[in-house]
């Protein structure tokens, strides 16, 4: 008889969790397959279609056989277009500091840009500061890259944002980077220019901050609702240009999640390091997706206005449906397409948001994402990137369930 021996995998995976959202999605799909009528408020992607210009561009590129390997950091046209877009968002940069194609790496979604950055920066034991709540992949990626995630609490009472004094207290010589994310997943919090400037001041002057890199994840840049305009970190802090890596992509802003078009924009030195990593891992992204991405990034802003208005109306609908539940802790998101809601009052003794989300799914047939993997045990995330009827019905069931 064969002895069954536990396979030995890399220690790199110790303490790294699988994606909680993907796992939950599997349960939802299984219940749906059994015919259960589920209202799904877990979506991490817009429910709009890919722009027609991107569809035409991909067909054209395919017919013209533009489907061989591309340069590792991407086709020059797309790198150039990303540099132009970023310069438009970072108007405070001095003329000689403006971005060029050579500062851009096109990646398999913003996710790979973040991986490239962490692998290029971290040595074992380096700490990475992460405001909490956070997008659930940040700490896991930091761990895979050999780093240690260190959290700075950004509670609801602070509008889910960190204060300069907290950053001051968190910095020490072990810290190699900080990950900022505005608009934020899961909270929808948006940092104003002044708030970023206050954080930048600490990152410029703190005695232990001189070698700290700023990774600014701006993937939700287009999705904000007017109260606080989107501010790219370097527009607030051009003096930190040489140690900031700006991440972005088309997944959320152009509804192109499956195309996997993201990028990093950073100084040439770190860009070269990230190109080495990408060259030895993926060799760059799908050629055809890059042509589609080029068409999408060149579309005028007006093309997306109705999508943003629609997200805003859905946000208002969701909050309106829940506002009478006085024991829910509600926060009005200024960007992204999630409402992060406190459910402390409704938890059973010893229960956290995972148990609550499970009950809600099984008993009320509403799927939401528990806050636990985002760093908040007593919150849940409701996505409003779905049809208003589903939002209204989901809120009705949720509200009734709380009775
Ligand atoms: C904050 C944040 N950053 C990055 C990503 C990854 O985006 P992409 O699809 O471009 O890899 C996501 C996706 O959910 C996200 O929410």
């Amino acid at each position: 008889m064969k002895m069954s021996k536990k396979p030995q995998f890399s220690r790199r995976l110790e303490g790294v969790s699988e994606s909680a959202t993907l796992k939950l999605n599997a349960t939802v799909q299984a219940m749906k397959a059994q015919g259960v009528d589920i209202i799904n408020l877990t979506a991490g992607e817009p429910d709009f279609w890919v722009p027609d210009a991107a569809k035409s561009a991909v067909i054209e590129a395919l017919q013209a056989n533009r489907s061989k390997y591309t340069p590792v950091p991407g086709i020059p046209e797309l790198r150039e277009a990303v540099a132009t877009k970023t310069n438009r968002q970072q108007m405070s940069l001095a003329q000689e500091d403006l971005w060029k194609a050579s500062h851009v790496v096109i990646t398999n979604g913003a996710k790979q840009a973040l991986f490239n950055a962490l692998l290029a920066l971290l040595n074992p034991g380096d700490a990475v500061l992460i405001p909490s709540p956070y997008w659930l992949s940040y700490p896991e990626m930091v761990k895979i890259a050999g780093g240690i995630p260190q959290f700075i609490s950004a509670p609801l009472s602070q509008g889910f944002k960190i204060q300069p004094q907290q950053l001051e207290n968190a910095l020490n010589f072990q810290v190699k980077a900080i990950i900022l994310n505005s608009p934020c997943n899961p909270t929808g919090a948006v940092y104003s220019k002044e708030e970023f400037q206050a954080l930048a001041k600490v990152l410029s002057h703190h005695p232990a901050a001189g070698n700290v890199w700023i990774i600014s994840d701006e993937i939700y840049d287009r999705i904000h609702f007017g109260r606080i305009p989107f501010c790219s970190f370097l527009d607030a802090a051009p003096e930190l240009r040489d140690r900031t890596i700006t991440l972005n992509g088309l997944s959320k802003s152009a509804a192109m999640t499956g195309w996997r078009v993201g990028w990093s924009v950073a100084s040439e030195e770190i860009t070269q390091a990230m190109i080495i990593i990408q060259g030895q891992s993926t060799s760059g992204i799908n050629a055809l997706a890059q042509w589609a991405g080029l068409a999408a990034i060149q579309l005028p802003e007006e093309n997306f206005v109705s999508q943003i208005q629609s997200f805003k109306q859905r946000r208002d609908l969701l909050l309106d449906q829940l506002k009478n539940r006085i024991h829910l802790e509600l926060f009005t998101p200024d960007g992204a397409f999630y409402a992060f809601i406190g459910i402390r009052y409704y938890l059973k003794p010893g229960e956290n948001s995972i148990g609550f989300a499970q009950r809600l799914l099984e008993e009320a047939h509403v799927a939401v994402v528990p806050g636990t993997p985002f760093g908040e045990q007593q919150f849940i995330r409701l996505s409003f990137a779905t049809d208003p009827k589903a939002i209204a019905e989901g809120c009705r069931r949720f509200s009734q369930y709380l009775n």
Side-chain angles (χ1 to χ4, degrees):
M1 207 172 69
K2 257 196 186 162
M3 292 275 285
S4 73
K5 200 165 157 240
K6 201 165 178 276
Q8 297 288 305
F9 296 130
S10 160
R11 270 199 291 278
R12 192 174 295 114
L13 284 169
E14 281 169 14
V16 176
S17 339
E18 89 177 278
S19 165
T21 34
L22 295 181
K23 203 167 149 190
L24 189 88
N25 231 19
T27 317
V28 173
Q29 295 314 329
M31 286 177 76
K32 275 190 166 171
Q34 287 165 6
V36 184
D37 162 35
I38 306 270
I39 297 289
N40 191 349
L41 301 180
T42 66
E45 58 184 343
D47 56 333
F48 301 109
W49 298 125
V50 168
D52 285 340
K55 291 185 194 167
S56 309
V58 82
I59 293 167
E60 205 180 295
L62 181 61
Q63 282 172 342
N65 289 313
R66 293 201 290 262
S67 51
K68 299 288 190 190
Y69 284 133
T70 71
V72 170
I75 55 172
E77 294 86 342
L78 182 54
R79 294 175 82 196
E80 187 70 50
V82 168
T84 306
K85 171 192 161 88
T86 313
N87 288 332
R88 248 188 274 125
Q89 293 183 321
Q90 300 179 351
M91 302 274 275
S92 312
L93 286 177
Q95 194 62 28
E96 65 274 17
D97 283 342
L98 290 181
W99 302 112
K100 300 197 282 282
S102 56
H103 297 114
V104 175
V105 186
I106 307 299
T107 55
N108 278 283
K111 217 169 196 176
Q112 193 195 3
L114 182 58
F115 245 115
N116 286 347
L118 294 170
L119 290 174
L121 290 176
L122 299 186
N123 285 314
D126 283 343
V128 177
L129 299 179
I130 303 177
S132 171
Y134 43 78
W135 179 44
L136 40 75
S137 289
Y138 295 149
E140 308 312 306
M141 285 194 195
V142 168
K143 286 186 253 174
I144 293 174
I148 302 170
Q150 276 176 15
F151 302 106
I152 308 180
S153 172
L156 173 59
S157 58
Q158 293 178 192
F160 290 124
K161 298 184 226 183
I162 59 166
Q163 308 274 348
Q165 187 59 49
Q166 291 179 287
L167 179 57
E168 185 103 35
N169 299 343
L171 283 165
N172 59 54
F173 288 98
Q174 207 201 341
V175 175
K176 190 65 184 283
I178 176 166
I179 305 179
L180 297 172
N181 173 217
S182 172
C184 171
N185 175 7
T187 63
V190 177
Y191 283 84
S192 68
K193 189 167 189 175
E194 294 71 29
E195 286 164 337
F196 266 161
Q197 277 167 340
L199 296 181
K201 207 165 155 194
V202 179
L203 290 162
S204 297
H205 300 302
H206 192 288
N211 294 318
V212 172
W213 285 78
I214 299 96
I215 300 176
S216 181
D217 179 348
E218 305 184 358
I219 190 89
Y220 293 95
D221 61 349
R222 184 172 275 144
I223 307 171
H224 59 96
F225 309 125
R227 196 180 72 91
I228 306 178
F230 166 75
C231 176
S232 179
F233 179 75
L234 279 186
D235 195 38
E239 68 280 10
L240 289 172
R241 174 197 185 269
D242 291 341
R243 28 186 191 108
T244 297
I245 304 174
T246 304
L247 310 182
N248 207 332
L250 296 171
S251 289
K252 319 289 175 172
S253 59
M256 289 179 69
T257 41
W259 296 73
R260 314 307 301 128
V261 183
W263 56 78
S264 57
V265 182
S267 70
E268 284 201 18
E269 292 74 14
I270 185 76
T271 293
Q272 283 309 319
M274 293 192 288
I275 292 173
I276 292 175
I277 289 165
Q278 179 150 305
Q280 298 299 1
S281 51
T282 60
S283 301
I285 89 163
N286 180 307
L288 299 174
Q290 296 187 57
W291 293 104
L294 177 62
I297 201 173
Q298 286 172 331
L299 288 171
E301 212 46 45
E302 298 88 80
N303 284 42
F304 298 93
V305 169
S306 67
Q307 287 187 14
I308 309 308
Q309 275 170 353
S310 166
F311 280 134
K312 185 168 185 283
Q313 281 160 4
R314 296 162 183 202
R315 174 199 71 173
D316 294 343
L317 168 71
L318 187 146
L319 293 176
D320 193 56
Q321 300 274 312
L322 298 177
K323 68 172 190 284
N324 293 330
R325 290 269 148 223
I326 54 163
H327 296 300
L328 286 178
E329 295 168 79
L330 295 181
F331 171 76
T332 305
D334 285 304
F337 38 70
Y338 312 105
F340 205 51
I341 297 177
I343 41 134
R344 198 179 314 263
Y345 178 85
Y346 298 98
L347 293 176
K348 293 180 176 169
E351 189 184 47
N352 71 18
S353 63
I354 297 182
F356 181 87
Q358 196 70 30
R359 282 199 272 138
L360 192 64
L361 177 59
E362 285 164 9
E363 296 169 34
H365 299 163
V366 179
V368 301
V369 184
T372 304
F374 299 101
E376 277 287 358
Q377 302 277 342
Q378 300 180 322
F379 280 70
I380 53 173
R381 192 193 75 175
L382 274 60
S383 164
F384 46 88
T386 192
D387 134 60
K389 275 202 203 120
I391 296 173
E393 173 61 10
C395 289
R396 191 194 63 75
R397 290 186 195 181
F398 176 36
S399 199
Q400 194 175 40
Y401 181 69
L402 297 179
N403 281 337

